[in-house]
Each structure stands twice: as C-alpha cells, then as structure tokens.
Amino acid sequence: MAKKPQITKEMIDAELAGLDYKRAAGIVTVENGLTAWGVFCAVFAANLATGVVAGIVTWLVFVLGSW
C-alpha cells in the first residue's frame, strides 16, 4: 500500500501565508476557488441567457399569435 502524504506545519504555514497575501491584495475566493469576478461573470452570463430565452419565447408568441 502507498504511504499517505503527511501534512506538515510548513505546508499549513505556506497555505495561510498565501491566503493572507490574497486577502491583502483584495482577491476574494469562494469555497470552490472562484474569484468574486468569476462569480459575477457566471451570474451575468446566466441572466443574459435567461433574457435571450425570454425574448425568443416572447417573439414566438407574438409571431404565432398574429398568424
């Protein structure tokens, strides 16, 4: 069997230092690693897609309703 990797104090300190650096630089991350800009772009794209679908449905109702 393979030996499990050990988490050392140095590894934890390096991770915490990286988080402090990101926080000081204003980089905010969420649980899965997305930045705040990534979340913003994802929500914007979803809203845009919803608007496009609603526009197409409205147009179809208008065109087929006047047929």
Side-chain angles (χ1 to χ4, degrees), residues 54-66:
I56 291 171
V57 168
T58 303
W59 180 78
L60 284 173
V61 167
F62 176 74
V63 168
L64 295 177
S66 63

Side-chain angles (χ1 to χ4, degrees), residues 10-59:
E10 290 80 17
M11 296 167 113
I12 295 171
D13 290 342
E15 183 68 24
L16 292 175
L19 291 176
D20 288 341
Y21 175 77
K22 287 181 179 179
R23 190 175 301 115
I27 300 171
V28 180
T29 57
V30 293
E31 189 64 31
N32 60 359
L34 284 176
T35 62
W37 278 110
V39 172
F40 172 79
C41 290
V43 170
F44 182 75
N47 287 337
L48 187 62
T50 302
V52 168
V53 170
I56 291 171
V57 168
T58 303
W59 180 78

